[in-house]
Amino acid sequence: MMKQAIALPSFFCLVTSLASPCLHAQKGDRDGHEMKPPPSEWKIPPAPVVSPAAAPATFALEKGFSVELVASEPIINDPVALAFDGNGRIWVAEMLGYMPDIDGKKEETSYGQISVLEDTDGDGKVDKHTVFLEKYLLPRAVALVDADKTLLFADNLKLYEAEILTDEKGNISAGKVSVVDEKFAEGGNPEHKSNGLLYAIDNWIYNAASDQRYRRIKGAWVKEKTEKRGQWGIAQDNYGRLFTNTNSNLISAEETAPGLTIRNSNFPFRSVVNSKIEDQRVYPSRINPGVNRGYMEGTLTKDGYLYTPTAASGMAVYRGDQFPEEFLNSLFITEPSGNLVKRAIFTENSNGFREITSAYEGSEFLTSTDERSRMVHAYNAPDGTLYLVDFYRGILQHAVYMTSYLRAQVVERGLDTPIGLGRIWRVKHRDGKTPRKAPTMETESSIALVGHLSDPNGWWRDTAQRLLVERGGEEAVPALERVITDDANELAVIHSVWALEGLGQLRPTSLRVALSSSYPRAVAEAVRAAESLVSSEWSDEVFALLTPFENTENLHLRRQLAGSLGLFGERAIPILATLVQKDAKDLLTGDLAVSGLSGHELTFFKALPPVHNLRAPLVEALVRRNVREELTELASLL
């Protein structure tokens, strides 16, 4: 069905409709495709602009929830991504230049901007707007870095860092802007360019539509290869596992820590490491003829409603504290072509993988009857609620993929104008606690920040860790070590371990305590964090701390140990051989073991029993490695 061209990979997306015969050939047309207009019996309503005040009436929402307007045009225009700083201010990427006309002709000369939104009176609505940066082409991602002293942001090509200046009255302006990566979003079209800038629990910044991660080390930005993942939007759960998707796949939930599967370029990784939703059905509340491939069988139902996603976009794992407990760790996925937000839930199976299913049968968490309502991203907010970014426009599909069929739909309902609109919504539960007041982390001491690592709201934990790491120094180290010793809160232990790692203060003494935690997932994260000490003066001591876990019964810990131990070289092979024989049917543990053992495949091969499912993949890896002496010895063993 050529679904890659069906919708905007991420937050942009399919656009509008079907309708009358094609006007003239479009870039998205395909040979042999018969673009029939929609059936005459479909009742396609008009799609006028709905005012921000009237928009909530178009929403159908899960019982008990309400939607409140945070900001809208003319304050913001074409928002696609946001980030909260340590004081709760909202930094918004506004893609004003995206498809400024039906043919996208002026896109290369139409500039977007990045703004700062503030709620100065605490009523939940923005009352102060500052344009921070302007005249950047198609800005797509923002993140606070350097303890909120600078803003990391991406436009249609590059990744930048902008100094944040604040005067005595609290007014914000931009200082020096420098380029971090000239080729961050190089190549392709706006639907397939890198975006995200997610500061993950391991202190690296990850992206969608990208195989690169970033981190500032000793004052300099470092770029490192990671797995290629996603298309638009990226999120993490409490254990730092990443979530991305593509336009036609609602979600890919990674079951291993990032980076583990690519360490050995010669090894044919056998295991599937992503979990997906098996049933991709979506349930809009408005007829959807205005999707790019709406003329193709299977894209729409017989009544004209979107059947499966064509524009799955930004998502959030709800880690807040305002919703009822049963919504904690739910996944909220935006699908702007269907004018909806899907909620999905997880069930962990005995194999350690998660089964992901839609939370509802025949309905969605949020739908809109307004064709222009395009929720393209979801975020955990400091106040414990869920924020939704509404791109709010008629045209979502980029010109490079637009079909004649879709163009006819745009023309029929006038979806190409107006442009420059946009909204940010706050979703809260009516029975939940009052949303929290704005944080003041930027002025809190580092020791005070440590206290937030046990907060029930994941945004507070993540932000406190980031600020601690980016401030640097040793002030918080004793407090972090006490959190690990107390072992009272699993997530606080995990964040404290990674804060120490980020500060360069993880030592064998604190690692030993973390490895004795009563929480297996905290122990697994301590094993992963210990990788940073492989080349340190404590390498032997750290390796000795990890060896007692070779007989662990915990599947997550066993897999993480398999993925990490190989970095210690051949001395790890006896333990790895034990791990992979403990459950020979667990292909993932075996794959992770070999992935970390690059260059030591032959020694590992010799350590395995005569019959083991890793022998053939190891032979293939050695052949790919193509070292004559190794191949000669291998031949003698076969």
Side-chain angles (χ1 to χ4, degrees), residues 200 324 367 381 513 528:
T367 63
V513 177
R528 181 157 75 111

Side-chain angles (χ1 to χ4, degrees), residues 532-553:
S532 64
L533 300 177
V534 167
S535 300
S536 72
E537 61 186 289
W538 303 290
S539 181
D540 291 343
E541 188 175 353
V542 170
F543 179 71
L545 290 175
L546 301 183
T547 55
F549 293 100
E550 63 181 321
N551 294 312
T552 179
E553 295 295 330

